[in-house]
Structures are given as C-alpha cells and as structure tokens.
Amino acid sequence: MRAVIVAAAVAFVISLFITPVAIRVFTALKAGQPIRSIGPATHLTKTGTPTMGGVAFIIATVLAYVAGHIALISLPERQIAQEGPTMTAFVLLGLFVCCGAVGFLDDLLKVRRRNSDGLSAKGKLLGQAVVGTGFGIAALYVASTNGQTVASEHISFIRDISWLDVGKVGSVMMFVFVITAMSNGVNLTDGLDGLATGASVLVFGAYSLIGFWQYRHWCADTAYARANEYCYEVRDPLEISMIAAAAAAACVGFLWWNTSPARIFMGDVGSLALGALIGGLAVATRTTLLSIIIGGLFVLITVTWVIQIVSFRTTGRRVFRMVPLHHHFELAGWSEVNIVVRFWIIAGVSVAVGLGLFYSEFLAANG
C-alpha cells in the first residue's frame, strides 16, 4: 500500500505544479486550441486556450511510477516480488506514452494549421492500431518466469472466461480493439472543461482498487494461494494498482487547472493517452468486459455518437441535436458546469456498479 500511496502523492504534486509551467510554455508557443465553427457558439470564447496539457499528467504519472518503486525497496519480502520494473509497467506506460504521442502529433498539426483538422481519422486509427499491435504482442508473447503474461488468450469479465478462448492472434486483435475503442471514447468525451479528466479520475481510482485487491488475493503469493482456493491469475497486480493510482492523482492535479473556465486543455495527447491506459488496465486485470460498465460514461458517449452517424447516413435524420452527447445538452440549454457535474455522476455510478460486480463475485466465490 505504501508504494501506491507514494506514487499517487508524487503524481499529484508533480502534475499540480508543472501544469502551470505547461500553460506558460504552450501559451508562449501560441499553441492555442482551434475551435470548430460548427460547434456550440459558447465554445468560441475558448479560442486560444493553450492545448496539449496532457503532457503534464503523462510526465507526472511516469515519474510517480519511478517514485513508487523507490518506496518498494523497504517493504517486506512478500511485497518485494515486484521490486523491479515489469513487463506490465512496460505495456501500460508504453500505451500511455505512445498513444499520447499519436495525440501530440494530431494536436501539433491542428496548432500549425490553425484549424481543427489534425490527423485524418484513418491516420489516427492507424497510429492507435500500430501502438496497440506492438504492445499487444508484448502483452501476449512475453511471459514472466512463472509463465504468466500481461494479457490472456481468453476474453474476460471479472476474470478469464474459460470457454472464450480466442488464441494469441485473436487476443492481440481484441487488445487492439479495446485500446482503440477506449482511446477514442475518452477522446470523444473530452469536449467540456474537466469532463474527461474528472471521469478518468474515477475510472483510474476503480482500477487502482481492483489491482490492489487482486494483489492481496494473488495466486503468485504462495502463502495466500496455499491457504485459499480462490485467487486471481493476473500478472503484477501491485504494478497495476500503482500506475492506476498515479494516473488518477495526476489527473486530479491537472483538473485544478482544467475545470471551468479551463486554463489549459488536455488535447488529444491527453485524451488518447488516458483511454489507452484505461484499456490496458482492463486487459491486465482480466476485466475487459467489465470495463464497459466501469467506463460507462465513455461507452455511452461513443454509442450515441455511432447512433447519430448511422442514423444520419442511412435516413438523413439526426437522433440528437449534436454529438458528442454533451453538446446535445448544451444546445438544449444546460450550462457547461451542470453537464460536467451530471456526467461525472453518471461516471461515478458506473464505477460503483462495476466495483460492486467485481466484489460480489469474490463474495459469492467465498460464500
């Protein structure tokens, strides 16, 4: 627990204090966020707000992970099993940084062109697919000394579903789909001040709890496994908890400057990175299908966006006034702050339901 707390505290402090530096740097570089003219008229006042702020919480999370490992040195023998950097950290932080890099390129093109056209949709998807494939292969083909891999060949809900074996190739494809879908889901959600940041804090908090619970009931802990039939077959759960806690705390530090009126936007560098990390956490904790519930807000916004696109292309009619969904409510007269807080509530309820299902499965198995 000490390592998780240290990582979270360090991430929060670094993010809180380097985000203002990012504001000054990106303002000086004239890296202002281009605002789409077809969006809600109220957003035009945000023109020029510096973007690419996601760089701040990415840096904070990576540095906090290092600090968390320093804290591990003095822990008891049972906890030093994960003292060194692991493949789990390589995959999760790699997804975080590399998908952030794809988003950074998208933001950079927008800033240079002074419009909202960055990478093409195909270009962005290609970048996400390349990153997902590379780390998916690492997650499936690089095993620890006990044969455990970061990802599984099975589709999972609260743990692997034994009869849903898709093989290594199928699992890599599923990995890419999860990373791409969640990454784009957070990207679509990032449209109002603090919305995606606050929702991500809740989801990362949930995965930190899941990771730590799995660590306390870990099959690799031979002392626990001998005394209990029920344990979790995951790789490096303490790493998972530490990284998720660091990301959550880094987002809280960023949120201080990102709430309405935002002094800086996370940009695609932030939203693509956050979504990729959430997807990676879902795969690593063997909760792929459960992530649909835990990340319910991101799923809701993605599904309504798909409904709108399909409806308009097939019938010429729009189901919503505008997508993503938060813009629909803006045009309906809701204030930005009301939408953000109410969507945070939806995110919180989704997280609570997801955690409830996760814990109830443990209670049922031990009942």
Side-chain angles (χ1 to χ4, degrees):
M1 176 60 84
R2 182 190 306 176
V4 175
I5 293 173
V6 168
V10 170
F12 172 73
V13 171
I14 293 176
S15 181
L16 184 65
F17 287 101
I18 70 169
T19 300
V21 176
I23 293 172
R24 291 193 291 271
V25 169
F26 290 127
T27 299
L29 293 175
K30 301 187 185 318
Q33 175 69 50
I35 305 297
R36 294 187 305 166
S37 59
I38 61 173
T42 54
H43 286 217
L44 296 177
T45 60
K46 301 181 182 184
T47 301
T49 302
T51 187
M52 294 189 278
V55 171
F57 57 69
I58 291 175
I59 292 173
T61 301
V62 174
L63 293 179
Y65 170 76
V66 176
H69 266 282
I70 293 174
L72 277 175
I73 295 174
S74 61
L75 292 179
E77 182 179 356
R78 176 178 179 274
Q79 295 175 299
I80 294 182
Q82 297 174 289
E83 183 178 343
T86 63
M87 179 54 64
T88 301
F90 172 75
V91 170
L92 294 179
L93 293 177
L95 287 169
F96 197 40
V97 173
C98 292
C99 278
V102 174
F104 184 84
L105 178 59
D106 185 45
D107 288 331
L108 187 63
L109 291 174
K110 291 176 183 177
V111 169
R112 286 189 172 181
R113 296 170 180 172
R114 301 298 176 188
N115 60 43
S116 58
D117 296 326
L119 285 173
S120 66
K122 290 182 180 179
K124 192 181 294 186
L125 286 172
L126 177 62
Q128 292 168 316
V130 169
V131 172
T133 300
F135 287 104
I137 291 172
L140 263 296
Y141 287 86
V142 181
S144 62
T145 54
N146 65 356
Q148 189 72 53
T149 55
V150 178
S152 167
E153 295 182 33
H154 297 80
I155 295 175
S156 59
F157 180 51
I158 294 174
R159 59 180 62 246
D160 285 341
I161 302 172
S162 59
W163 52 273
L164 281 180
D165 186 340
V166 294
K168 286 189 180 294
V169 174
S171 188
V172 171
M173 293 173 64
M174 176 59 69
F175 187 94
V176 173
F177 173 78
V178 171
I179 298 306
T180 302
M182 195 61 76
S183 186
N184 286 315
V186 177
N187 184 236
L188 288 172
T189 306
D190 181 33
L192 300 181
D193 297 350
L195 177 55
T197 310
S200 296
V201 169
L202 296 170
V203 174
F204 286 132
Y207 273 111
S208 183
L209 292 174
I210 287 173
F212 192 76
W213 185 262
Q214 291 178 331
Y215 172 64
R216 299 303 299 178
H217 306 86
W218 191 20
C219 294
D221 182 348
T222 54
Y224 175 83
R226 279 197 301 266
N228 300 270
E229 294 183 3
Y230 189 89
C231 58
Y232 292 97
E233 290 281 0
V234 296
R235 179 172 175 174
D236 312 315
L238 188 59
E239 294 277 273
I240 294 169
S241 181
M242 192 190 311
I243 291 170
C251 285
V252 172
F254 180 76
L255 187 60
W256 182 273
W257 307 99
N258 184 234
T259 49
S260 184
R263 293 185 56 187
I264 189 169
F265 299 140
M266 70 169 67
D268 280 12
V269 60
S271 60
L272 295 186
L274 292 176
L277 179 55
I278 291 170
L281 290 168
V283 172
T285 56
R286 307 294 196 267
T287 57
T288 303
L289 297 180
L290 186 65
S291 69
I292 296 173
I293 299 172
I294 293 175
L297 177 65
F298 305 133
V299 174
L300 173 65
I301 288 177
T302 302
V303 169
T304 53
W305 180 82
V306 171
I307 290 172
Q308 181 87 325
I309 298 300
V310 171
S311 176
F312 186 75
R313 290 182 177 177
T314 55
T315 68
R317 297 180 179 179
R318 292 181 173 87
V319 177
F320 306 98
R321 291 180 174 90
M322 182 180 289
V323 289
L325 186 61
H326 36 274
H327 294 326
H328 167 83
F329 290 105
E330 279 190 288
L331 296 181
W334 291 22
S335 70
E336 180 170 355
V337 172
N338 276 344
I339 297 169
V340 170
V341 172
R342 287 168 181 170
F343 276 38
W344 282 352
I345 292 172
I346 294 172
V349 170
S350 298
V351 163
V353 172
L355 287 176
L357 289 171
F358 177 82
Y359 186 60
S360 64
E361 190 260 359
F362 179 85
L363 290 179
N366 287 274

